[in-house]
Amino acid sequence: MDRHDDLIARCQTADGVTLTVPGTTIQERPLEVLRFAASDPGDPSIWVIGRQHPGETMAEWFVEGFLDRLLDLEDGAVRALRDRAGLHVVPNMNPDGSVLGNLRVNAAGANLNREWESPDIARNPEVFHIRRLMIESGIALCLDVHGDETLPYNFIAGFEGIAESGPTQLAALERFRTGLARINPDFQTRRGYPKTRPGNGMTTTCTGYFARRHGVVAMTLEMPFKDPANAPDPRVGWSPARAMALGRSTVEALLDILDQLPRSRGRACCD
């Protein structure tokens, strides 16, 4: 948590970055959202959230790499992304679970990634408060960052099982996925969870809920606990540094699909 606090402080001191705390957890820890405002309030609203499952620490390493790159205004891709999109980042969705040493649940025993359709402020205030801001922002894309305990790959689980998904949503998902694999070969598209038939997708997850209810390009990015089989490094395996590098690579992949995302219909959620 000291490293998390340092990351939040580092971002707060940067130009154009604001912090909002929409609520607190069951144990009264702050839920922190970092906002990089777009030049035009109507630009697409993009959300990156990490560590719904607190034991998946690679998720916050990924987010740290993503955030550190967003702070570099001498980077042309960063300037273009920040100019054309509103970016909202939640480095740790489950700070109580992180402190308690939980693998998948918060202080009340709730698995946050099964609570998105009807969050209860008493049992899962994390989802209740963050979901409200996401909706208010007119969210166009959500990248929900996780780790998978069994599959030795970096991959994205999409929303193909959501019957209400349209071709524009699906095309943007596929372009992001293939673009990230091209930018960073640690990521790949051949292996992952089996694709679910339309109508059989879970709508209680963050990805399923936003894809179905709000037409969002929503994705669950999974990283391995072990060495990725497609790009092994026996010396370090899937390390914090490699997770951070994948987070940095996400900038170009997001920039590549901005024209396929709807403009924001919401108000600035973090003012």
Side-chain angles (χ1 to χ4, degrees):
M1 292 306 291
D2 284 345
R3 188 179 185 97
H4 169 89
D5 292 342
D6 288 344
L7 174 63
I8 296 295
R10 186 161 72 248
C11 291
Q12 279 188 273
T13 62
D15 292 339
V17 185
T18 57
L19 174 70
T20 189
V21 178
T24 58
T25 66
I26 291 169
Q27 295 186 341
E28 298 188 352
R29 293 185 174 89
L31 295 166
E32 294 159 316
V33 182
L34 293 161
R35 179 193 178 206
F36 299 73
S39 299
D40 183 340
D43 284 341
S45 174
I46 293 174
W47 283 75
V48 176
I49 68 173
R51 215 164 169 185
Q52 287 201 73
H53 297 147
E56 297 166 5
T57 54
M58 63 285 286
E60 193 160 3
W61 288 109
F62 175 102
V63 173
E64 182 170 338
F66 180 64
L67 284 169
D68 277 342
R69 188 167 179 200
L70 288 182
L71 299 181
D72 182 6
L73 292 178
E74 295 185 21
D75 184 321
V78 167
R79 291 199 310 273
L81 182 62
R82 287 181 57 171
D83 186 59
R84 296 176 54 201
L87 299 163
H88 315 265
V89 184
V90 185
N92 191 334
M93 280 283 298
N94 197 339
D96 284 356
S98 300
V99 171
L100 294 170
N102 295 346
L103 175 62
R104 293 180 65 84
V105 300
N106 69 358
N111 179 345
L112 300 186
N113 206 30
R114 300 296 184 271
E115 304 281 347
W116 286 81
E117 274 199 318
S118 55
D120 178 348
I121 193 171
R123 175 176 164 78
N124 42 67
E126 301 90 347
V127 174
F128 182 91
H129 292 299
I130 298 298
R131 190 186 81 150
R132 175 177 56 83
L133 287 187
M134 295 169 84
I135 295 169
E136 289 177 358
S137 75
I139 180 173
L141 181 145
C142 178
L143 183 62
D144 180 17
V145 187
H146 286 259
D148 183 88
E149 293 89 341
T150 58
L151 293 180
Y153 298 99
N154 290 291
F155 63 95
I156 280 176
F159 49 88
E160 292 88 350
I162 303 300
E164 294 83 357
S165 301
T168 302
Q169 276 175 280
L170 291 166
L173 168 66
E174 188 59 26
R175 182 164 178 169
F176 179 88
R177 200 156 33 195
T178 57
L180 187 55
R182 183 178 64 253
I183 295 160
N184 188 329
D186 278 349
F187 183 81
Q188 56 81 54
T189 61
R190 296 185 62 187
R191 304 288 184 131
Y193 301 141
K195 290 185 179 179
T196 306
R197 294 177 59 187
N200 293 328
M202 293 180 63
T203 58
T204 55
T205 65
C206 178
T207 290
Y209 168 77
F210 276 108
R212 182 187 184 195
R213 298 293 187 185
H214 299 276
V216 170
V217 180
M219 300 172 268
T220 304
L221 187 145
E222 298 280 8
M223 288 176 284
F225 278 75
K226 59 190 76 174
D227 203 11
N230 63 298
D233 184 335
R235 185 176 62 87
V236 299
W238 186 246
S239 65
R242 294 177 78 184
M244 292 176 71
L246 185 59
R248 292 193 294 271
S249 299
T250 305
V251 168
E252 282 91 354
L254 289 172
L255 189 60
D256 187 48
I257 67 167
L258 281 185
D259 291 339
Q260 294 181 266
L261 301 179
R263 291 177 64 80
S264 175
R265 299 179 299 277
R267 62 180 176 82
C269 75
C270 303
D271 289 341

